[in-house]
């Protein structure tokens, strides 16, 4: 079903918004990795998955999305893992690590956890350390609402250099902050590579 959904995304997004631009795909490492990015719109996971094709991905989403049986069926068959943000258990880390170590799927994680927060959280770093998979920074620039897709403003995905965690790194407060700063610096650099004047404005703040 993953391949079918990816095809469905192409035949919906591309006619509406045109062909997206994927920059610096040569920076994508071999093997599995954890694609990390700022979460700017509900459909940017689709663009990231299309940009890194033919690699397949697993995703992490809040458990509330699984309340609808039909949507839950689609999400599970699209490699989406359910997460309880209020009471996260060990599976939040264990399941993604197993996927990275035992399958040919990579992982897409938004370290901020939400489209309306720019604060980085530690899940991606811990998963990277346990799985020994690199972090691959990426950014999306383009339409931020479904309505704005029809404006034909080009969607752009830019990939950064992989971040390989040192085996000896301790994920205490200091170590975590150091990796978070690496990610944020990478996001800032990638945004400037696309557009030096770029500034993200959360669409919800305009309401």
């Amino acid at each position: 079903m993953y391949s079918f959904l990816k095809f469905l995304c192409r035949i919906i997004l591309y006619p509406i918004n045109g062909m997206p631009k994927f920059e610096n795909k040569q920076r994508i490492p071999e093997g599995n990795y954890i694609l990390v990015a700022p979460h700017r719109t509900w459909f940017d996971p689709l663009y990231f998955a299309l940009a890194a094709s033919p690699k397949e991905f697993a995703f992490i989403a809040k458990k509330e999305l699984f309340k609808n049986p039909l949507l839950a069926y689609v999400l599970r068959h699209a490699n989406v893992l359910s997460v309880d943000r209020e009471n996260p258990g060990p599976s939040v880390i264990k399941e993604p690590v197993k996927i990275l170590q035992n399958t040919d799927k990579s992982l897409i994680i938004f370290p901020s956890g939400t489209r309306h927060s720019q604060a980085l959280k530690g899940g991606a770093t811990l998963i990277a350390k346990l799985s020994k998979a690199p972090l691959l920074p990426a950014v999306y620039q383009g339409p931020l609402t479904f309505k704005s897709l029809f404006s034909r403003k080009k969607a752009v995905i830019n990939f950064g250099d992989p971040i390989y965690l040192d085996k000896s790194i301790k994920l205490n407060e200091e170590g975590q902050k150091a990796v978070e700063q690496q990610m944020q610096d990478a996001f800032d650099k990638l945004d400037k590579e696309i557009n030096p004047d770029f500034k993200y404005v959360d669409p919800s703040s305009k309401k």
Side-chain angles (χ1 to χ4, degrees):
M1 180 177 277
Y2 182 93
S3 297
F4 171 73
L5 292 173
K6 191 164 63 173
F7 169 75
L8 191 62
C9 289
R10 282 196 181 100
I11 64 173
I12 292 174
L13 290 174
Y14 291 7
I16 291 174
N17 187 250
M19 286 293 294
K21 185 177 182 182
F22 304 144
E23 298 187 347
N24 295 306
K25 287 191 67 171
Q26 77 278 2
R27 294 171 175 169
I28 298 176
E30 296 291 332
N32 285 346
Y33 53 86
I34 303 167
L35 190 155
V36 288
H39 198 7
R40 292 171 174 167
T41 176
W42 63 267
F43 47 78
D44 56 12
L46 306 179
Y47 275 110
F48 287 124
L50 293 173
S53 183
K55 168 61 74 175
E56 288 195 10
F57 290 92
F59 308 83
I60 296 176
K62 58 184 180 181
K63 69 172 186 176
E64 288 79 6
L65 293 177
F66 290 77
K67 289 183 178 179
N68 181 295
L70 179 59
L71 180 58
Y73 175 84
V74 173
L75 292 174
R76 289 192 183 99
H77 285 79
N79 307 328
V80 181
L81 307 176
S82 173
V83 170
D84 185 344
R85 289 181 179 172
E86 300 299 322
N87 300 289
S91 63
V92 173
I93 301 299
K94 288 182 179 179
E95 286 188 47
V97 170
K98 285 181 180 179
I99 288 173
L100 289 165
Q101 291 182 331
N102 302 325
T103 76
D104 60 356
K105 295 181 180 65
S106 287
L107 192 67
I108 291 179
I109 294 182
F110 299 101
S112 63
T114 169
R115 287 176 287 139
H116 311 305
S117 170
Q118 298 305 301
L120 294 174
K121 300 178 181 179
T125 306
L126 180 55
I127 293 169
K129 181 171 175 61
L130 294 176
S131 67
K132 298 180 175 60
L135 298 163
L136 178 67
V139 298
Y140 165 90
Q141 289 186 24
L144 298 177
T145 63
F146 184 75
K147 181 180 178 180
S148 64
L149 282 170
F150 291 87
S151 70
R152 307 289 289 187
K153 178 183 178 182
K154 185 174 287 292
V156 183
I157 300 293
N158 192 15
F159 294 101
D161 293 315
I163 298 172
Y164 294 89
L165 299 190
D166 191 303
K167 293 179 181 179
S168 63
I169 188 172
K170 294 181 180 180
L171 293 186
N172 51 21
E173 185 176 355
E174 182 181 358
Q176 181 62 49
K177 284 184 177 180
V179 179
E180 289 179 0
Q181 190 60 57
Q182 274 188 282
M183 286 193 282
Q184 188 59 59
D185 289 345
F187 298 153
D188 293 341
K189 178 183 177 182
L190 293 173
D191 276 325
K192 289 179 180 178
E193 286 179 354
I194 300 172
N195 177 6
D197 299 319
F198 174 79
K199 183 178 181 181
Y200 172 69
V201 178
D202 186 346
S204 67
S205 67
K206 297 180 181 179
K207 297 180 180 180

